[in-house]
Amino acid sequence: MANKKLMLGNAAVARGLYEAGCVYVSSYPGTPSTEITENAALYEEMYAEWAPNEKVAFETALGASIAGARAFTAMKHVGLNVAADPLFTASYTGVNGGFVIGVADDPAMHSSQNEQDSRHYAIAAKLPMIEPSDSAECLEFAKAAFELSEKFDTPVMLRLCTRVAHSQSIVSLSDREEKGLKEYVKNPQKYIMNPGNAVRRHPIVEARMEEMALYAATSPLNRIEMGSTKIGIIASGASYLYAKEVFGNNASYLKLGIVNPLSADYIKSFAQKVEKLYVIEELDPVIETFCKANGIDCEGKSVLPITGEFSQELVAKKLLGKEEEHYTYEGNVPVRPPVMCPGCPHRGLFYILKKLGLTVLGDIGCYTLGGAAPLTALDTTICMGASVSGLHGFNKVRPDSAGKTVAVIGDSTFMHSGITGLIDIAYNRSVSTVLVLDNHITGMTGHQQNPCTGLTLKNVPVDPVKIEEVCAAVGIKRVRITDPNDIKATEAAIKEELAADEPSVIIVRRPCALLKKVNYGCKYQVDSDSCRSCKMCMRIGCPAISFKDGKATIDSTLCVGCGLCSSMCNFGAIKKVQL
Amino acid sequence: MSKTTNIMIAGVGGQGSLLASRVLGALAINKGFDVKVSEVHGMSQRGGSVVTYVRYSEQKVASPVICKGEADFLLCFEQLEVARWIEYLKKDGVLVTNTQKMLPMPVITGAMEYPEGIIEDIKAKGVKVIDLDALSLATEAGSSKAVNIVLIGAFARFCEFTKEEVEECIKSYVPAKFLDINLKAFELGYNSAV
């Protein structure tokens, strides 16, 4: 039992990296991939870092691979879009030390802005992609990915989905195998991808994928499990588990560990053994389309949805028409959407933005919650960095509304891809006002360090990147700093900068209320006698404040003592209580 | 696959349901079961409705999630979550719930109303319900944050693990300086679940 452990899928990937002798890990946080890198950082033998964005992370890991190390980078599905540029060309260069790219998809969008299927990237970039189903496979596949990478001279993509990344199951641990550095030999034909060399590399890539398709037919990463031959099921990842839960031995399975490339001969050999063939795959019909293109008769998206997450319930219902008996509750149940935490420093700012009636171009982070009631102060959320660049375009075609339009972007997101948008504003002169919401941490993904926080992933103190200096350096002359909990001063600053006829940045600075170092040392209570029931305090949408018997009341278990509500009250009814 | 035991934990982001699921998962693995625990990270954790699943079996557990009508135990950290997730309880399953109310934003803003008499309605359906004021008990134990351990205490009276086994497992999961509070919370939860 000593070497068996209950482990999160992401932690198991990290363990696999460790056991495989990986020495270099660089990533940008993104749910559901974040814990791979957080766990990798716990092993002294591996260097691990948070890079400013996925493209940088990818390129640093590729650099480490070319230098001869086993290297790894992790990202969420949309992060792969950011890293797509080096991805496609790394396919041409191949590797020196093994290079593995972890990518975590988020079917059902538990914490994402879209539901893209990253298998398309593997196909488009002509890279092998393998997909584990549980933590034990996360560990084993991470190790196998390095072997494949070095054997076939290719980066290997390791695909997870939320239910694999964020489920714990039992893993068996082994010792680490030190690999050291492979020799680095200058090889321009392989690593300088100018047209002349790339033209010669492309056929090598195509030959490699053909060779890998042959390998897929015999690889232990794929397996056939024969049960009843009435139904055959092709599945990978979590979908395989749902199918297994529903059908048990009443079906046969082709469990695909290698999801790209697929072997038509191998799939045909399985299809011939079963009467009715289903492809059970979340998101897009990738395997199904391949089967049909190769004349393999199967059913998939005609019965199963193309959107959302699967479950045993869904598979049983769609394929067998079976449903479990269950209780029901007849009443109307209010939804409970995520909200800004009590004490969140973004709350005061979004109150002001709504009050001023501004058009607000948003970004990716906790402040996306500023779009929810009662603040409802957001107009757009697209992707990392799109607030700043979007504002530039918006203001260029609507110069009249520049005085009523702002961008909001967090400190980590600004480092990720806000700076380039700001350079566009400075260089191409749009009269734009950008608000950088500096809460000293990467918040939504669960508190990761970033270049502005002064600590690395391994908690080494470093000089923080100063946002104000970056803004000045790219040519923004009007840069100022405000405290979002000082509503009057922040409101005045926003009005002034919107009125200015040149670009400006306001750094709205206060640390995340969930940071351990933040302790207000007090709570607030409502003095019912002074409360005039005006509901001003309700406008900030703090989950700790509600109305009871016609008066405001504060839930003392939720209140963290930020005092924003007190500054909203015109009658002094919200009073500080020292702890 | 019918021998799998399914425990579903439903709460509000920030209430400590993740730790509870990890304690229960560890409990099952200590007894030699195959275990799967499915968690929620990221955006929905920010004060949203959060569910985690713990499944264990003497055989191999396939799916990491629990679906409607499958949960042997439904542990709710808040009343409204009972109404939201009761469909997941098996017909002969046990509901262990905190009677605490936490108003969701649509109720705070007045867009929707918090339903009255949820627990009574569920009891009227013949569901075995263990309801307790876990927040008061946690506060009595020394910290309002120990609601999760109070509920594990209540669960301990009905699960197949002994009280001592659950207690030992909690000891290995909570920081030493909060151990006394948590053991007291566990005891209070255990004693009020009758």
Side-chain angles (χ1 to χ4, degrees):
Chain A
M1 208 60 186
N3 69 339
K4 287 206 167 185
K5 268 188 91 168
L6 192 58
M7 210 180 244
L8 197 67
N10 280 343
V13 171
R15 178 72 196 188
L17 304 179
Y18 166 79
E19 292 182 8
C22 176
V23 294
Y24 185 92
V25 178
S26 179
S27 308
Y28 183 80
T31 312
S33 70
T34 310
E35 299 81 9
I36 301 175
T37 306
E38 285 182 325
N39 280 280
L42 303 177
Y43 297 99
E44 277 179 21
E45 294 85 345
M46 290 193 282
Y47 171 81
E49 66 170 30
W50 292 127
N53 67 34
E54 295 86 354
K55 179 178 186 290
V56 173
F58 186 109
E59 290 157 351
T60 69
L62 177 60
S65 161
I66 291 170
R70 285 196 161 185
F72 177 83
T73 181
M75 58 204 69
K76 67 183 295 176
H77 59 317
V78 287
L80 187 57
N81 300 336
V82 179
D85 194 357
L87 179 83
F88 280 72
T89 304
S91 176
Y92 279 33
T93 64
V95 305
N96 185 18
F99 178 30
V100 178
I101 302 135
V103 57
D105 286 7
D106 190 17
M109 295 174 275
H110 295 276
S111 198
S112 302
Q113 70 269 40
N114 76 29
E115 206 171 22
Q116 72 190 42
D117 187 329
S118 59
R119 291 176 298 174
H120 294 297
Y121 272 105
I123 296 166
K126 301 172 192 292
L127 288 171
M129 174 180 262
I130 61 178
E131 180 175 20
S133 287
D134 58 18
S135 299
E137 286 189 354
C138 282
L139 196 163
E140 288 310 317
F141 281 31
K143 290 164 79 172
F146 282 107
E147 296 299 323
L148 292 179
S149 173
E150 288 172 3
K151 182 176 174 190
F152 292 96
D153 187 10
T154 176
V156 172
M157 301 176 77
L158 178 69
R159 181 199 190 212
L160 307 179
C161 66
T162 301
R163 291 298 176 190
V164 174
H166 285 168
S167 290
Q168 297 191 58
S169 55
I170 296 172
V171 297
S172 299
L173 308 183
S174 309
D175 291 335
R176 176 176 168 91
E177 269 186 58
E178 287 295 348
K179 294 285 175 182
L181 289 181
K182 287 189 162 186
E183 189 189 359
Y184 171 71
V185 182
K186 186 167 175 162
N187 187 349
Q189 288 77 22
K190 188 170 186 296
Y191 294 118
I192 299 179
M193 283 305 94
N194 59 19
N197 290 332
V199 161
R200 289 184 199 93
R201 289 298 299 177
H202 189 182
I204 295 171
V205 171
E206 298 297 336
R208 178 183 75 206
M209 288 308 276
E210 279 179 32
E211 201 187 333
M212 284 220 64
L214 290 175
Y215 168 77
T218 58
S219 167
L221 298 174
N222 292 331
R223 66 171 187 265
I224 289 172
E225 295 171 13
M226 293 309 290
S228 163
T229 53
K230 290 225 180 299
I231 295 176
I233 290 166
I234 305 178
S236 65
S239 297
Y240 161 76
L241 300 175
Y242 305 137
K244 197 87 183 164
E245 186 80 30
V246 171
F247 291 96
N249 292 327
N250 298 321
S252 295
Y253 305 86
L254 171 51
K255 198 270 189 198
L256 289 173
I258 303 175
V259 292
N260 192 59
L262 299 170
S263 162
D265 290 342
Y266 182 58
I267 296 175
K268 274 179 194 162
S269 75
F270 174 71
Q272 281 159 5
K273 292 178 193 150
V274 297
E275 290 173 34
K276 171 86 188 164
L277 184 63
Y278 288 107
V279 178
I280 302 181
E281 55 188 327
E282 287 178 325
L283 304 178
D284 295 340
V286 173
I287 302 168
E288 182 186 352
T289 305
F290 176 86
C291 286
K292 288 181 172 163
N294 283 281
I296 301 165
D297 189 29
C298 62
E299 246 192 294
K301 295 299 166 186
S302 55
V303 283
L304 291 159
I306 201 164
T307 58
E309 209 173 36
F310 289 1
S311 64
Q312 59 267 34
E313 179 184 344
L314 181 122
V315 171
K317 192 175 165 187
K318 299 289 182 185
L319 268 59
L320 299 174
K322 264 173 53 177
E323 275 183 84
E324 292 283 339
E325 212 189 325
H326 60 76
Y327 294 108
T328 50
Y329 177 79
E330 290 78 19
N332 207 357
V333 184
V335 293
R336 190 188 296 278
V339 291
M340 287 179 191
C341 305
C344 178
H346 301 324
R347 180 168 285 111
L349 175 70
F350 280 93
Y351 164 73
I352 298 165
L353 299 178
K354 183 182 184 183
K355 183 183 165 199
L356 296 177
L358 303 179
T359 298
V360 181
L361 305 193
D363 225 294
I364 305 291
C366 288
Y367 41 93
T368 309
L369 297 169
L375 295 165
T376 55
L378 274 190
D379 288 72
T380 66
T381 298
I382 314 291
C383 66
M384 298 287 284
S387 61
V388 182
S389 32
L391 178 68
H392 177 73
F394 199 99
N395 286 343
K396 276 287 182 186
V397 299
R398 285 188 175 271
D400 295 347
S401 62
K404 291 177 285 186
T405 308
V406 296
V408 292
I409 184 167
D411 48 336
S412 187
T413 311
F414 183 67
M415 288 294 115
H416 180 285
S417 47
I419 297 171
T420 42
L422 191 64
I423 291 172
D424 198 24
I425 287 173
Y427 170 48
N428 288 309
R429 312 306 297 167
S430 66
V431 183
S432 293
T433 304
V434 173
L435 310 181
V436 181
L437 282 47
D438 179 11
N439 66 349
H440 303 353
I441 201 74
T442 312
M444 185 60 95
T445 43
H447 282 190
Q448 289 74 35
Q449 304 299 337
N450 70 53
C452 303
T453 65
L455 287 174
T456 68
L457 168 58
K458 294 222 180 198
N459 283 320
V460 178
V462 289
D463 283 339
V465 172
K466 292 195 174 65
I467 297 169
E468 47 272 47
E469 290 178 5
V470 170
C471 296
V474 304
I476 305 293
K477 296 194 176 68
R478 297 182 70 97
V479 180
R480 56 198 288 179
I481 298 164
T482 67
D483 174 359
N485 278 20
D486 186 341
I487 289 182
K488 275 186 191 149
T490 302
E491 185 177 334
I494 293 171
K495 282 181 176 167
E496 276 173 40
E497 295 314 317
L498 282 170
D501 61 356
E502 62 176 315
S504 46
V505 172
I506 306 172
I507 300 165
V508 186
R509 182 168 280 161
R510 181 169 275 259
C512 172
L514 299 183
L515 284 170
K516 282 207 175 82
K517 65 183 180 189
V518 176
N519 180 4
Y520 289 100
C522 64
K523 288 188 186 290
Y524 283 78
Q525 276 181 358
V526 178
D527 170 15
S528 291
D529 294 337
S530 310
C531 175
R532 308 277 182 92
S533 311
C534 68
K535 295 198 172 178
M536 269 304 284
C537 57
M538 300 288 288
R539 295 192 185 186
I540 53 175
C542 177
I545 310 175
S546 58
F547 243 62
K548 207 174 173 182
D549 305 326
K551 302 276 185 180
T553 176
I554 295 174
D555 184 334
S556 65
T557 62
L558 292 176
C559 178
V560 299
C562 75
L564 185 70
C565 54
S566 178
S567 70
M568 294 292 294
C569 184
N570 294 319
F571 306 103
I574 301 181
K575 297 196 162 79
K576 188 192 264 193
V577 182
Q578 288 297 342
L579 293 180
Chain B
M1 297 275 163
S2 58
K3 284 182 185 167
T4 303
T5 301
N6 296 320
I7 308 167
M8 180 162 169
I9 303 172
V12 177
Q15 277 191 300
S17 55
L18 201 62
L19 179 77
S21 66
R22 290 187 169 192
V23 169
L24 298 181
L27 197 55
I29 195 177
N30 289 346
K31 292 286 279 184
F33 290 111
D34 189 40
V35 185
K36 281 201 171 141
V37 179
S38 189
E39 309 179 344
V40 179
H41 301 223
M43 188 163 197
S44 49
Q45 269 189 304
R46 301 274 173 255
S49 175
V50 168
V51 288
T52 55
Y53 311 107
V54 180
R55 309 189 74 211
Y56 64 87
S57 173
E58 284 175 359
Q59 298 159 0
K60 207 157 166 52
V61 177
S63 171
V65 302
I66 296 169
C67 295
K68 285 178 190 162
E70 289 185 347
D72 298 278
F73 295 94
L74 176 60
L75 265 64
C76 285
F77 283 45
E78 197 272 353
Q79 258 198 56
L80 185 60
E81 300 310 306
V82 175
R84 195 185 315 284
W85 301 107
I86 192 67
E87 293 186 338
Y88 285 72
L89 190 66
K90 207 177 251 178
K91 277 290 180 177
D92 57 353
V94 178
L95 167 68
V96 178
T97 185
N98 184 4
T99 54
Q100 185 187 352
K101 288 183 181 181
M102 292 171 79
L103 306 186
M105 200 46 73
V107 172
I108 291 177
T109 61
M112 291 188 83
E113 274 184 33
Y114 195 105
E116 290 295 325
I118 294 170
I119 291 173
E120 289 67 31
D121 286 353
I122 300 298
K123 281 181 179 168
K125 292 174 190 291
V127 179
K128 176 158 186 174
V129 180
I130 312 304
D131 53 329
L132 62 162
D133 182 353
L135 178 61
S136 296
L137 295 172
T139 309
E140 187 185 332
S143 168
S144 60
K145 292 200 170 109
V147 160
N148 51 2
I149 304 297
V150 171
L151 287 165
I152 288 179
F155 164 80
R157 206 176 258 282
F158 299 93
C159 67
E160 64 187 282
F161 307 106
T162 67
K163 187 185 173 197
E164 290 68 32
E165 284 167 349
V166 183
E167 227 166 12
E168 280 308 308
C169 198
I170 289 171
K171 282 182 192 167
S172 64
Y173 265 82
V174 299
K177 64 175 174 172
F178 299 120
L179 186 60
D180 288 347
I181 291 174
N182 280 296
L183 289 179
K184 195 170 172 201
F186 175 78
E187 197 67 32
L188 288 168
Y190 188 85
N191 290 335
S192 44
V194 281

